[in-house]
Amino acid sequence: EMLEWFAAVFVLIAVALLWPAKRYFGFEPWPGVLLGGLGRKTARRPSRELDRCVSDPCPAAGAPAGEEPVSLICKPSALANYLLKHCVTFSNFATALTWSWRASPFLQTVFSACWPLESSVHFMREYLQLSDDGLVALDWAVAGSAHHRRRRTSSNSTSPILLVIPNSFGKITRNVLKLCQVGLAHGYLPVVFSRRSQNGTPLSTPRLQQFGDPADLREAVRYIRYRQPAGRLYAVSESTGAGLLLSYLGECGSSSYVTAAACLSPIFRCQSWFESGPPWPFRWALLLYQKACLSRYKTALGDMVQMDKLFSSCSLRALEEALFCHPALTGGWEAYWERNDPLRDVDEVAIPVLCLCSRDDPVRGAPAATLPFELFETNPHFFLLLTAQGGHCGFSTPGEEGALQWSHQALLEFFRATTDFFAAEERSKQAARRRGLGGGTNVRAFRHRSVSTCKRVPACSHNIHAIFSWQRSYTR
C-alpha cells in the first residue's frame, strides 16, 4: 500500500511541476471524418490516411472535425447498425470542462489506478493447479459481509460470468474493483484472473507467464466452464492485460467459450511500447512496482532469471528481457515477440470485441502511431470506441450516477446488445428452417462462427479431475 501511494504522489508531483501545461491538460484534438452507412447514426474515423476504405466520407454536422466526444470505428455490418441503435452509451460521452480535474488525462489515469474504493464487494479465492503444477488464482466477487463470503455459487446458476483480466503487472486497480462491483449489481458473476506470482498467488514452479502466452488462461477458462456450465462467459481486460486476452481469443478462435469481450485502454503495439515505454513518471512507477513484487522470489527464480540484471534495469524492455529473453534458449527479443504479439492470430478471433480508448491516453501514446485503425475498419469482429478524453482506463465523466462510470456502462450494453442480436439471428434461422426457406442470415461476417458462441457451451471433453486440483482460501 505504501508503494502504491508513493507512486501516485510521485506521478502527481512530476506532472504538476515538470510537464508543460499543454501536455498536462491533454493532447490536441485529432482531426477525422465520418464513417457513413451504419444506420441512423454515424461513426467517425480519425485517420485521413485510411479514406480509401470509406465510401463518401462527410464532415461532422454542426461541429468542426476532430471535436466529437466519442467515435465508433468499425466495418459496416448489420451488427454495427444494431449496436448504434441499441447502445445509447456509445453516443452520450460527456467531456469535462478545462478547469476540471477530469480534463487532465494524467489525473484520470492516477485516479483510476491508485485511488482507494470503498465497496462492500469481497472476494472468494480459488487456487487452480495447472497441468505443470503451477498455480493461478481465481477471485470470485461476492457481495455482503465477511460471514457471507463462504457461500458458493451454485454450478447450476444461469447468471453470466464476467472474467476480468487485470494489467500484465498484476496491479488490482480501482477500475478493476469498480468493474466487479458494477458486474455484481447487474447480475454477473465477476471473477478476477491472477497470473502466477501476482496478487498474492504463490509461485509453486520457477516459471512465470510470458506476456502473450494464453496457456494458463486457457486452463482457467475451461475450469470456469466446468464449474459454471449454464452461464454465458464474457471477458474484460484492462490496459496491458488486453495482450493476454487477445492472444487467447486469436489462438482459440471459435473454441474460446467466450460470447463477447471488451478491452479497456488496450496496448496494441506491445513491442514498440516496451521499447519506447510510457512517459517517465509512469515508467518508473511500473518498474518500481514490478521489482517490488518480484523481490520476494529472488532466490526461487535465481536459476532461471538474471536477478542482478533485472533489479538494475532502467526500462520496461530491459526488465522484460531479463525475465523471459535468454538468447541461447528463447532466441532473443525479436523471437519473444513473434510468440507473444497479441495481434499475431487476430484474424482467427471469432467473437465481437469492443475496445475503448481515449485520444489523450498518456500511457499508450499518440493514437496515430499506437492504434491499428486498419484492424477495426476491415475486421467485422472488432469495434473501437474512441473518446476525446479519459486518460488510461479512466473515462470518468461529469455527472456520473452512482457507481456506474461510462466505460463500464458501455461494455455492459455491448455485451447485452451482441447477445440479443445473435439470439434474434438464431431465432430467424430456426423460423426459416421451419418454413423450409434455408436458414440464411444477413450477418455474413459472423456466419458459422460467432452465432455458435451464444449457444450453451458443451462440457469439457477431457477428464477435468485428472488435470485440475484446486483449493479455496479467502481474501480480505
Side-chain angles (χ1 to χ4, degrees):
E1 295 292 337
M2 292 298 297
L3 179 62
E4 296 174 11
W5 282 108
F6 173 77
V9 173
F10 180 76
V11 172
L12 289 174
I13 294 176
V15 168
L17 299 180
L18 301 179
W19 281 68
K22 181 179 178 180
R23 295 287 300 276
Y24 176 76
F25 286 104
F27 297 98
E28 291 291 336
W30 197 32
V33 296
L34 288 177
L35 174 61
L38 297 184
R40 294 188 306 169
K41 301 180 182 179
T42 57
R44 188 168 56 83
R45 49 184 291 263
S47 177
R48 293 181 178 177
E49 297 178 357
L50 299 175
D51 285 346
R52 61 184 180 276
C53 301
V54 182
S55 59
D56 300 327
C58 58
E67 294 186 359
E68 292 294 323
V70 62
S71 307
L72 177 64
I73 303 170
C74 61
K75 182 177 181 179
S77 66
L79 176 58
N81 287 333
Y82 191 89
L83 294 176
L84 285 169
K85 181 179 180 180
H86 292 86
C87 296
V88 296
T89 307
F90 286 12
S91 59
N92 66 1
F93 182 82
T95 56
L97 300 176
T98 55
W99 53 264
S100 171
W101 69 270
R102 291 187 174 90
S104 167
F106 302 95
L107 292 181
Q108 284 239 31
T109 301
V110 174
F111 177 79
S112 173
C114 301
W115 200 261
L117 175 67
E118 294 184 3
S119 173
S120 60
V121 176
H122 304 280
F123 291 93
M124 182 182 70
R125 167 162 291 193
E126 291 184 345
Y127 286 120
L128 179 62
Q129 187 171 356
L130 306 174
S131 54
D132 66 347
D133 294 331
L135 286 179
V136 296
L138 298 174
D139 293 319
W140 295 86
V142 293
S145 58
H147 66 273
H148 289 148
R149 298 184 204 175
R150 303 184 71 90
R151 292 172 54 187
R152 294 184 58 91
T153 303
S154 171
S155 60
N156 296 323
S157 172
T158 58
S159 299
I161 299 97
L162 186 65
L163 175 61
V164 182
I165 302 175
N167 56 72
S168 61
F169 301 95
K171 175 70 172 67
I172 302 300
T173 62
R174 173 190 174 92
N175 183 59
V176 168
L177 296 175
K178 199 168 186 180
L179 179 60
C180 293
Q181 176 181 334
V182 170
L184 277 175
H186 285 75
Y188 289 83
L189 300 178
V191 54
V192 179
F193 172 79
S194 294
R195 313 185 194 203
R196 307 179 188 219
S197 81
Q198 293 186 353
N199 192 23
T201 306
L203 184 64
S204 59
T205 59
R207 176 180 176 270
L208 299 175
Q209 183 178 7
Q210 296 185 5
F211 183 86
D213 180 8
D216 293 355
L217 180 60
R218 187 187 306 112
E219 293 194 44
V221 169
R222 289 176 179 174
Y223 175 75
I224 292 173
R225 296 307 310 168
Y226 168 75
R227 294 307 307 262
Q228 302 290 336
R232 293 193 178 102
L233 177 62
Y234 302 89
V236 181
S237 63
E238 178 193 51
S239 185
T240 52
L244 180 59
L245 178 58
L246 293 176
S247 295
Y248 170 77
L249 295 177
E251 187 170 296
C252 294
S254 58
S255 302
S256 66
Y257 300 101
V258 180
T259 300
C263 302
L264 299 176
S265 297
I267 304 295
F268 292 103
R269 316 289 190 186
C270 297
Q271 181 178 356
S272 300
W273 186 80
F274 272 89
E275 291 172 350
S276 59
W280 66 266
F282 298 105
R283 181 172 67 250
W284 280 104
L286 292 174
L287 282 171
L288 288 174
Y289 182 82
Q290 195 165 12
K291 288 180 181 179
C293 294
L294 291 171
S295 61
R296 62 184 300 185
Y297 303 112
K298 184 175 182 179
T299 302
L301 296 174
D303 295 336
M304 304 293 295
V305 178
Q306 299 178 8
M307 303 305 294
D308 293 339
K309 180 180 178 181
L310 186 149
F311 290 111
S312 63
S313 58
C314 298
S315 66
L316 294 177
R317 170 177 176 170
L319 191 144
E320 194 79 3
E321 281 186 306
L323 282 175
F324 300 111
C325 298
H326 304 281
L329 301 176
T330 62
W333 182 249
E334 296 296 332
Y336 174 76
W337 284 108
E338 288 181 4
R339 300 188 304 271
N340 289 276
D341 189 339
L343 302 182
R344 64 189 183 277
D345 296 318
V346 71
D347 290 338
E348 300 299 324
V349 175
I351 64 167
V353 180
L354 177 68
C355 299
L356 292 91
C357 301
S358 65
R359 298 189 188 100
D360 64 357
D361 191 327
V363 175
R364 187 198 66 236
T370 58
L371 293 179
F373 291 103
E374 66 282 358
L375 170 65
F376 298 98
E377 294 189 341
T378 59
N379 192 318
H381 296 90
F382 284 85
F383 302 84
L384 173 63
L385 269 184
L386 187 62
T387 63
Q389 298 176 351
H392 190 73
C393 299
F395 303 104
S396 178
T397 57
E400 290 179 350
E401 298 181 0
L404 189 61
Q405 67 186 60
W406 179 86
S407 57
H408 299 160
Q409 183 178 357
L411 67 89
L412 291 180
E413 280 195 352
F414 174 76
F415 291 158
R416 175 189 51 78
T418 53
T419 303
D420 292 345
F421 175 80
F422 289 120
E425 288 296 321
E426 187 68 18
R427 289 193 297 269
S428 298
K429 289 175 61 178
Q430 293 175 356
R433 283 194 292 266
R434 286 194 296 267
R435 294 193 302 266
L437 300 179
T441 176
N442 57 357
V443 195
R444 299 177 182 177
F446 292 87
R447 186 175 52 196
H448 306 311
R449 302 179 74 182
S450 296
V451 175
S452 64
T453 62
C454 291
K455 301 178 182 178
R456 179 172 177 176
V457 179
C460 298
S461 58
H462 52 258
N463 183 2
I464 197 162
H465 296 288
I467 294 179
F468 298 119
S469 60
W470 59 278
Q471 54 181 302
R472 287 188 296 163
S473 66
Y474 302 94
T475 59
R476 292 177 296 172

